[in-house]
Amino acid sequence: MAEETGTPTTTGNQPFEIAVLALQNLNLFPETVVPLGVGRPRSMAAVEAALATPEKLLGCITVRPERADDTDAKPEDLYEVGTLVMIKRMERSGDGMRIIAQGTERIRIKEWKQTDPYLRALVEIMPEPKTVDPEAVEAAKRNVQQMIQEALSLLPNVPAEVRLAVLSSVEPVRLAYFLGSILTLGVEEEQKMLEADTADELLRLAHTNLARELEIMQLRTKIASEAQVEMDKAQRDYVLRQQMRAIQKELGEDETGEMAEAQLLRERLEKADLPDEVRAEADRELKRLERLPPAAPDYHVIRTYLDFVLELPWRKSSEDKLDLPEARRILDEDHYGLEDVKERILEFLAVIKLRPDTKSPILLFVGPPGVGKTSLGRSIARALGRQFERMSLGGVRDEAELRGHRRTYIGAMPGRIIQSIRRAGVNNPVLMLDEIDKLGNDYRGDPAAALLEILDPQQNNTFRDHYLDLPFDLSKIFFIATANQLGPIPAPLRDRMEIIRLAGYSDREKLEIARRYLVPRQTTENGLNAAQFQITDDAIELVAARYTREAGVRQMERNIGSVARKVALRVAQGEAETVQVAENNIREYLGPPQFYPEQARKELPAGVATGMAWTEMGGEVLFIEATLLPGGRGLTITGQLGEVMQESARAAQSYLWSHAAEFGIDPEIFKEYGVHLHVPAGAIPKDGPSAGVTITSALASLYSGRRVRPDTAMTGEITLSGLVFPIGGVKEKVMAAHRAGIRRILLPSRNEADVDDIPADVKSDLQLIFVSTIAEVIDSALEVLVANPPPPVVSDAARSGRRPEPEPLTVKGT
């Protein structure tokens, strides 16, 4: 090289300096012509330096693959062997230049001279690869030419000049370099061919790479032909997807996460423990799925269906805990009282222990809000060691909510029963059907009718959800339904369930529940401890009596929580470390009392009787008042009394009129006096036949002048023949009367068995009198002493002996 001009010389084998162009992801071979795009400043500077020489020679060295992303490669990032090229043409463009380079010789880097403004190195010319075994080289050459012919036959529109150039080539090295330039082998494989020192090694590498490329071309042709055969006019949009599927099939990529969804479902189906009928249906649907393209409308419908079938616990059950003492301990720990319910659960556990294949019971808890029906279901699941699922039926009007939708509908899904079982993960959970008395119905069907099969142990072992359309065994599920009233539940549905009534709590029971559960829970939830928040028993009883009106304890817990929050505020502000809430300062925390319950009156005037009523919130005491209307006509009724209660008032008046002499009543009073019957709390609607006894006593007291005993309350239905029929809600009514200070209670004789449910401490304070006729009621309820009765008014018609015309009844209110 001439130092003064920078012109390289290639005379002899002496090293010389030359500008170097770093190639990214590309190799150049001798005797090949390649277009190159140059855009980096350092690369353009190298090209400019080469063009400034007479020979226009440039060294092209490839960057190692692991450093190919660097913007400016360093000398240590390049290979040592490259190609000497001659720049045949150069064109400038807006973002760089384009050159046509022709490879001439292989070169090897001896020493790097500079890196800026362009790469420059001392290089030497490498000798042409020599032939070690001419026969082996010739054989490899012929094999390469044969494979080239096969490859060209698979490629359409190949120019004839290319075919002739390849087949007429007699120089093995030149043929190998030509293949390296046209095949996409990757930088490392191309570099190996470029660095090969012998023709034998060069032809072996070319043969290996060509064989692989030929196999890929044949496979692509096979895939294309298979996809073309399967493809019709409706499937032309899915060509690429079909080819991808065929490629995955040929490569066997079943462990890389790219397996077809159908294959994954097939494996899950083989591992699943399914009944024979379910397995057959799932297999049939899976075969349909395998024949559909993923974009088909039914593809995702079938996929979702199979997922749901495979997720259901067809034969998976949880093991029941059969330790009866432990179950008793858990039930007592979670709930105070409710002995009947606990005894029923222990009976069921005992039966399972003796006969494991017994069917699970279907219980119906009926009681007012807040008595612990829902929480009792959780305790039962805990005692049994089963999963617990709750499903609210309040406001459900569509039968499909329970049975599911048929798959023909868009957005179809299984019913809530099957969905609850899937969430539980076992086929024998404790499933609570909450608020079953709040079911509705409309044009979409009657959900209560759907429950007839679900809650029938003789039918639910083959329950078919509309979505699944497969029999599922529901007989192992422990169903617990809850309701506030039995009336709205259809009789056929009630017949399928074992009814357990949960009455309201007595004052003593509420106090115990507050001590054991409510106060500790609210103390913890409000960030306090037992030392910081203390509330006396008298304060709890006051909250229960004057700030709540309920059979349960839900509102009482809210009030205790309100007190606890105010205590927490005082503790957080540093006003006190310990706060004790007593009866005399409850008003500071909760304000004035909200309720003033009825109390027994010390004296009752004639015409007033004490009755008992049942409401959803528990029992209450009510007073029925009657007064004579001199010169009035008929019977006036007020207080929002329902039709049944109005009929009881008419029946009571008719009976007393027809038996006036028996009870010492002047018959003329019925003719000459009107009667106004009123029940206080007129804003509250009232109805039911159980007030018949009380209305009769009030009217008998009014007509006879004998007052009703103030310590006596009564309930019962009457008939026109003078009989007393049984009523419901005995426990709630008796407990309400006891709270009001009543100590004598008249009950129908046929309700004598119901008093067993009354707490012993309440029963011991009461005198229970059982009656079966109206005469017994009047003898027991009215005082013996006779007050001055109102003088009868004798009309002119009575004096003349004529029978007066009947007077109509006047009924006011609803």
Side-chain angles (χ1 to χ4, degrees), residues 61 218 262 301 332 401 412 419 473-474 540 581 698 755 768 797 813:
I61 309 294
Q218 291 173 343
V301 174
D332 289 340
E401 289 281 335
Q419 292 187 35
D473 186 3
L474 302 181
I540 295 175
V581 181
V755 302
L768 302 178

Side-chain angles (χ1 to χ4, degrees), residues 460-628:
N460 62 10
N461 59 339
T462 57
F463 172 72
R464 283 184 177 266
D465 185 271
H466 287 163
Y467 180 83
L468 292 179
D469 197 23
L470 292 170
F472 194 93
D473 186 3
L474 302 181
S475 63
K476 297 181 181 179
I477 299 176
F478 195 134
F479 285 102
I480 301 176
T482 69
N484 297 126
Q485 305 177 62
L486 275 179
I489 305 176
L493 186 56
R494 291 202 305 266
D495 185 61
R496 284 162 166 78
M497 297 180 285
E498 181 176 347
I499 299 174
I500 298 178
R501 298 182 182 273
L502 281 72
Y505 296 113
S506 66
D507 291 342
R508 185 180 64 83
E509 289 174 330
K510 288 183 178 181
L511 176 60
E512 286 295 329
I513 292 172
R515 283 176 180 169
R516 299 186 184 189
Y517 307 106
L518 307 186
V519 173
R521 182 161 60 227
Q522 290 300 322
T523 300
T524 302
E525 289 184 359
N526 290 283
L528 301 171
N529 56 47
Q532 293 172 326
F533 175 47
Q534 300 174 6
I535 182 169
T536 64
D537 293 349
D538 293 339
I540 295 175
E541 291 177 347
L542 179 63
V543 170
R546 304 296 297 276
Y547 290 87
T548 65
R549 177 175 288 176
E550 58 179 349
V553 293
R554 186 173 295 155
Q555 186 62 35
M556 185 171 72
E557 182 175 8
R558 292 195 187 101
N559 286 327
I560 293 174
S562 178
V563 174
R565 287 193 297 273
K566 291 179 171 58
V567 170
L569 177 61
R570 294 182 58 186
V571 173
Q573 291 177 343
E575 298 178 6
E577 296 183 359
T578 299
V579 178
Q580 185 175 25
V581 181
E583 180 182 8
N584 56 2
N585 56 2
I586 279 290
R587 190 183 184 97
E588 300 175 10
Y589 294 95
L590 297 179
Q594 302 296 317
F595 301 101
Y596 293 89
E598 292 283 2
Q599 297 293 329
R601 301 182 184 179
K602 294 182 179 181
E603 292 186 4
L604 295 179
V608 179
T610 306
M612 298 179 292
W614 178 93
T615 69
E616 289 187 7
M617 305 306 293
E620 289 187 3
V621 172
L622 53 82
F623 296 93
I624 294 180
E625 303 174 346
T627 185
L628 291 173

Side-chain angles (χ1 to χ4, degrees), residues 767-787:
Q767 179 186 0
L768 302 178
I769 302 172
F770 299 98
V771 295
S772 56
T773 64
I774 294 178
E776 295 176 0
V777 172
I778 294 177
D779 289 342
S780 301
L782 272 62
E783 293 180 346
V784 177
L785 298 176
V786 180

